[in-house]
Amino acid sequence: MVSNDDQQFQKAEETLRRFVLRARRIAAHSLAKEPRELETLANPKMSGKINLDGTIELRRKLPDEEIFESLASRIRPLLLKTESIHYAEVLKAIDAVIRRREKAQTNSDALREKYTVLGNAWGQFNEAEPIALRYSTQMARKDGSESTPEVSDSQLALAWLYGDLVHVDVRGKKAPGTLLPIKERYSAAVSYFSSVAILCARTMELVSELADLGALELPQETTSTDVVVGTKEIVETGTAHFAPVGTEMPRIDVLDQQFPEDFRQFTVTEMLRLDDRNHVKLQIESSDGSLVTEYDAAVTHRGTHEERMEWHVLVAGCIEYRFTFRIEGDVACDLQLETKVLTLATNKMVLDKYLFERACKQGSLLQFKVLERDFIALKLEDHSSDNIQDLDINIGFLQDLVTIEQITSEHLLIPNDPATIREIVELRQMRLLWEGNVVPLRRGTIKITALADQTPQYVLAPAGTRTIGGTSYPTPQFVVTHPLMKPTSVEPIPHTEPPQDSITMNIPTEEPFVAWVPEKKDVTTHSDLQRPVTLDLPQHDLTYLFGTWKTENGISIP
């Protein structure tokens, strides 16, 4: 059961976490980034000039009003009594943290002194009692008639806040501030709210000191999460999908990267094909006339040059066929062709290029159709004797990378170096883990560290990164075990506190450890582990991992 003192302390910590987020937002303001400038605004000076006619000119420099309004708006929650981070609540929370240190008989005199100074300073900004901080003023006609009451700079500043900036009606002891013109209200507001910004920074310093001393826990997101946009343009990278008008929108929380059949990804090709005139279908046919595959292609450019037609057709999002030809009747003749591979900016584009190359190696004819009619046909070279194993290997690991990109929403760099067999196998294992499978890892033993006299049933592998071809990709946190895993060697680790053992875990000789991601795969009994997924890598010899073990053999359970 949580004690009342603990509940109060938890509430204090939460208040200070909220305060830190707001204080960081105030500190990020352009007027608050330069402490000297803020000090100048908080302590305004007047310059004067005596004219020959005996009149005096007094000048006060003011910041841009629109910019200063944003600073005052960021400050407002510290002064509004109904807000959870009103300065009184923040001071109360700081006091609770210091009192806990004092109860633990930890010397906190210096902290208490700083707290007292802050408390006295904040008390001057009580909106219910808008006292004169630096001056009071009043106005009257030259003949002494129609004079205003004496108005404090606090009343003027708060009248500007509640009458000119965020509200219209000014009530209570702030109301006399409306009797003077807006230039007087704004001038007072500049010094008033600049002083609050400075005081906020000093309070933040004390809160940070308490956190550094371990008296207060500030989660990383409190001190590192973005508190300002910090840019004039927002760029979001992702994918967009579309469907015919009237199609029901699927629930976004259950999509898991899979859109219903009616939805298509919005690509350059699809964008071009929104105009029916740009529709092109490319079919790859084998020597016996059967269909190998087909692509929805699109015309990216059409024109006429020296009585010849010129068409650019985009295929697979990365390959452009540039045709020039003459039209005789409905037939294109005197054909000239240039093929260009566009800049491959993503793993998906590289994968699409390889898939297209593989399809071409399986076919003998490229048939371009416009309005469902044959338009241009191109014969392909005979690749029947080619060894396409290397191409299949590249396609395999790029499919794995693209799948991980889709699951994690991370953009991964394109591998520049040759991928090793070990890297390819690890990547396939990680992809299958991300997809929620029970995955075979390897044979052998695992050496772990555990608390003395405790034998774990599972080994937890932390989330991290691995590489393939010089490119890093994320790996999930996953669990490793075997239903028959048992310790074969337990050795105490000297000089550890609490005491720890080094344990060697062993499993049946010809079987692998298995792994899964608990957040993606429910494993409740040993039978859930008995049939791990196949890695499906027929091009590679996996005996270095599994010996003679095959997936269809499964693993032993008690």
Side-chain angles (χ1 to χ4, degrees), residues 213-248:
L213 291 170
L216 166 69
E217 183 179 350
L218 293 178
Q220 184 177 359
E221 59 267 23
T222 304
T223 55
S224 62
T225 190
D226 291 338
V227 291
V228 293
V229 177
T231 182
K232 294 182 179 179
E233 181 181 30
I234 297 176
V235 179
E236 302 282 2
T237 302
T239 59
H241 293 74
F242 67 98
V245 175
T247 304
E248 184 178 353

Side-chain angles (χ1 to χ4, degrees), residues 223-401:
T223 55
S224 62
T225 190
D226 291 338
V227 291
V228 293
V229 177
T231 182
K232 294 182 179 179
E233 181 181 30
I234 297 176
V235 179
E236 302 282 2
T237 302
T239 59
H241 293 74
F242 67 98
V245 175
T247 304
E248 184 178 353
M249 181 67 186
R251 280 178 51 194
I252 197 167
D253 59 326
V254 297
L255 284 178
D256 193 26
Q257 306 297 328
Q258 297 297 322
F259 279 79
E261 199 172 290
D262 290 340
F263 281 80
R264 305 185 69 172
Q265 184 174 342
F266 198 67
T267 61
V268 173
T269 301
E270 291 294 349
M271 179 185 70
L272 292 168
R273 286 170 58 85
L274 291 177
D275 184 343
D276 289 341
R277 295 174 301 169
N278 294 328
H279 282 213
V280 176
K281 186 175 290 293
L282 170 63
Q283 294 181 335
I284 302 178
E285 299 176 0
S286 64
S287 56
D288 62 4
S290 61
L291 182 66
V292 175
T293 188
E294 63 182 13
Y295 287 88
D296 286 329
V299 178
T300 61
H301 167 78
R302 59 165 57 86
T304 304
H305 181 65
E306 296 180 353
E307 298 184 353
R308 291 178 63 83
M309 298 291 292
E310 182 178 350
W311 278 29
H312 296 176
V313 178
L314 181 64
V315 181
C318 60
I319 297 172
E320 195 171 63
Y321 284 89
R322 298 180 174 184
F323 301 102
T324 61
F325 51 88
R326 290 184 298 103
I327 295 291
E328 294 184 1
D330 290 334
V331 180
C333 60
D334 191 15
L335 179 70
Q336 295 180 11
L337 170 67
E338 178 188 356
T339 305
K340 181 180 180 181
V341 178
L342 305 185
T343 301
L344 302 176
T346 66
N347 286 302
K348 179 66 166 59
M349 293 181 72
V350 179
L351 173 61
D352 288 341
K353 172 182 173 291
Y354 284 150
L355 288 171
F356 184 75
E357 288 179 1
R358 194 185 194 291
C360 288
K361 288 180 181 293
Q362 293 176 298
S364 62
L365 185 71
L366 290 183
Q367 187 77 270
F368 292 83
K369 293 179 178 286
V370 177
L371 300 176
E372 302 300 325
R373 299 173 62 182
D374 293 348
F375 184 62
I376 293 175
L378 299 175
K379 284 194 67 67
L380 293 170
E381 295 180 23
D382 183 5
H383 293 282
S384 58
S385 62
D386 285 6
N387 183 352
I388 61 173
Q389 181 173 338
D390 289 343
L391 190 56
D392 284 340
I393 289 173
N394 288 333
I395 289 172
F397 80 72
L398 280 165
Q399 285 175 328
D400 291 341
L401 273 182

Side-chain angles (χ1 to χ4, degrees), residues 438 521-532:
V438 175
K521 174 69 176 180
D522 287 332
V523 173
T524 55
T525 67
H526 287 148
S527 60
D528 295 325
L529 306 176
Q530 194 170 10
R531 297 293 176 187

Side-chain angles (χ1 to χ4, degrees), residues 115-164:
Y115 167 78
T116 302
V117 172
L118 283 175
N120 292 335
W122 276 112
Q124 299 178 84
F125 296 94
N126 182 357
E127 291 188 1
E129 295 294 335
I131 62 174
L133 294 174
R134 290 177 176 82
Y135 65 89
S136 293
T137 187
Q138 64 182 139
M139 297 184 70
R141 291 184 177 276
K142 287 183 179 180
D143 60 7
S145 64
E146 298 184 22
S147 63
T148 67
E150 189 174 299
V151 180
S152 71
D153 53 353
S154 295
Q155 289 174 300
L156 289 169
L158 294 171
W160 173 80
L161 177 69
Y162 289 100
D164 302 306

Side-chain angles (χ1 to χ4, degrees), residues 397-408:
F397 80 72
L398 280 165
Q399 285 175 328
D400 291 341
L401 273 182
V402 170
T403 299
I404 291 175
E405 285 182 316
Q406 292 171 341
I407 293 173
T408 64

Side-chain angles (χ1 to χ4, degrees), residues 18-19 21-23 25-27 29 67-90 122 125-128 157-171 174 189 192-198 200:
R18 293 181 183 179
F19 165 75
L21 290 171
R22 176 55 57 149
R25 181 164 169 78
I26 293 170
H29 194 279
I67 293 175
F68 191 81
E69 284 177 352
S70 67
L71 176 62
S73 298
R74 292 184 185 189
I75 287 170
R76 189 177 177 232
L78 299 174
L79 302 175
L80 193 61
K81 202 165 186 178
T82 56
E83 291 283 351
S84 62
I85 57 167
H86 180 258
Y87 72 80
E89 294 298 321
V90 175
W122 276 112
F125 296 94
N126 182 357
E127 291 188 1
L158 294 171
W160 173 80
L161 177 69
Y162 289 100
D164 302 306
L165 181 56
V166 295
H167 297 294
V168 174
D169 299 321
V170 182
R171 300 184 179 89
K174 301 181 286 289
Y192 185 93
F193 292 108
S194 296
S195 298
V196 176
I198 293 170
C200 175

